[in-house]
Amino acid sequence: MTTDPGPAMTSVAPMTPAAPMTARQEARRRRILQATARLAGRGGFDAVQMREVAESSGVALGTLYRYFPSKVHLLVAVMQDQLEDLHETLRKRPPTDEDPAARVARTLMRAFRAMQREPHLADAMVRALTFADRSVSAEVETVSRLTTAIILDAMGPAGSRPTALQLSAVRVIEHTWHSALITWLSGRASIAQVATDIETACRLIDPAGAVRRQE
Amino acid sequence: MTTDPGPAMTSVAPMTPAAPMTARQEARRRRILQATARLAGRGGFDAVQMREVAESSGVALGTLYRYFPSKVHLLVAVMQDQLEDLHETLRKRPPTDEDPAARVARTLMRAFRAMQREPHLADAMVRALTFADRSVSAEVETVSRLTTAIILDAMGPAGSRPTALQLSAVRVIEHTWHSALITWLSGRASIAQVATDIETACRLIDPAGAVRRQE
DNA sequence: ACCCAGTCTGAAACTTGTTCTAGATTAGCG
DNA sequence: CGCTAATCTAGAACAAGTTTCAGACTGGGT
C-alpha cells in the first residue's frame, strides 16, 4: 500500500544536473547534512559553525566548502531536504477539508507544527533562506518551487490548472508564510498570530464568500 | 504651510526613553547613520563594514558599538530613519484614490520606487531587518509599528478604528511587502512581480467585490 | 577652578566564515 | 597492475564582526 501512487502530484524537476557522485560522495554529503541539522537543532543559525560541521561529519573544512560553497548554501540545502520529506509525508495523507483554502491553511499549519518541534532548526533554515544573496538564488529558487508545489497540491485536485489569480494568491501565501515564520522565530509574534496570518492569506484563494468561513 | 498638521495621523510612540543625549552625541549618532547609509548605498549589506563606518563618521570603533551594539542594530536604525522620512512625505501628499485598497497599494508602490532608486541601500536595510535575531526585536518592532502606521494611514480616514479583519489584512500585507522585497533584491522576482504581489495582498482589505478591480 | 563619573580614542585581541596550499588518497582506465 | 586527474586532508592564513583595555577627554556639580 505504500506504493500507491496516490493522486498525481505537482512535480518538481529532480535537479541533479551536476556530475554524478560516487557512493562515498553521496554518503559524505548526507553526513554533512545530518551533522548540520543536528547542530542547528541545538543553538540555531549561530550554532552551525563550519569547522564544527566539518569535524562532526568527518570531513576536512576544504571538502565541506567544496560540497557547499557557503554556510547559507549549506542551510538552504538542509531546508530543501526537510521540505522534500514534508512533501512526501503530505502526499501520503493529504488534508481532507472541503474547501481548498482550508486545505492549504491546514497544510501550512502542519508544516508550522513541525517547525515548532525544532524551533532552533527552523531558525537556522529560515534565517539562511531570507539572508541568502544572489549567489544562492538558484538554490533558494528550488526551495521556493518546492513550497509552491506543496501549496498547489493542497489547493486543488491535481491536474487542474490554477488560474493566474490563484497563482498570485499562492505567491502571497508563500510570502506570508516566510515572513510570519520570521516574526515568530524572533519572538515578535505568537503561534496564534502566525496561525491567524496564514488563514488570512489563504482567504485569497477563493475570494467569493471567503469571509464567512471565519465563524 | 509646512506646519499644517494635516489629517490626524496614526501616531507612533516617540521612543526616546534612554538617557538624553548632548548635542555632540546627537551629532555623532547622526554622522554614523549618514555614513552607514552612504556606504550601504554603494555595495549593500556587505559594503557596510563596521571599521569603515567608524572611520568614515570620525568615531572610534568602540564608540560605534556603544551607539549601535551590532551591525544589524545599526542598519535597522537606518531603516527606521528612512521610514520616518517616508511617513513624513506621505503625510504631506497622501494618495488620492477612491478605494482604500488602491490607496494602500499605491503607497507601497511609492515606497518601492524609493527603494528602486537606491537598491543597494534597500538591500542592506531589508537584509538586516529579516536577519535580525531576538536581540534586536525591540528595534525591529519599532520599524514594524512604523510600517503598520503608514499602511493604516493610507487605508482609512484617520480616527476610524480598523476592524480586526482589516488588521489581519494589514499584517499579511506587511509580510508580503517584506518578503516580496527580498525576492526582488535577490533577483528572483521582477519589479512587475512585486507590484502584482502587493496588489494581490491588498485585495484582502475590502474583500467584497475586490476581484473586479483587476480590469 | 577642581574633581568625579561617564564617555571617547586607539589599538590589540578574539571569533568565525572563507580561502589557500602542499601533500596524501581515490577513482577511472589502459 | 600502474598511471593520471580529480578529490580529500590538515593546517595556516585572511577578512570582518565583536570585545576589551589603558589612557585621554568632557560635562556637571562644588
Side-chain angles (χ1 to χ4, degrees), chain A residues 7-13 83-84 86-88 90-91 94-95 103-104 107-108 141-160 162 167 170-171 173-174 177-178:
Chain A
M9 284 292 125
T10 304
S11 66
V12 175
L83 271 186
E84 273 156 10
L86 178 65
H87 200 176
E88 197 55 25
L90 287 168
R91 205 171 63 73
R103 284 198 299 273
V104 171
T107 298
L108 291 179
E141 185 63 31
T142 299
V143 167
S144 176
R145 264 200 291 273
L146 250 171
T147 309
T148 304
I150 288 176
I151 295 177
L152 285 178
D153 280 352
M155 214 171 102
S160 68
L167 284 179
V170 169
R171 288 180 59 88
I173 290 169
E174 252 181 270
W177 164 244
H178 282 139

Side-chain angles (χ1 to χ4, degrees), chain A residues 34-49:
Chain A
Q34 280 177 353
T36 304
R38 195 167 53 69
L39 286 173
R42 312 216 181 295
F45 188 89
D46 295 327
V48 177
Q49 301 193 357

Side-chain angles (χ1 to χ4, degrees), chain B residues 32 50-51 54 59-69:
Chain B
I32 293 173
M50 299 304 269
R51 289 176 233 270
V59 136
L61 191 55
T63 305
L64 172 54
Y65 273 95
R66 172 187 281 274
Y67 281 72
F68 301 96

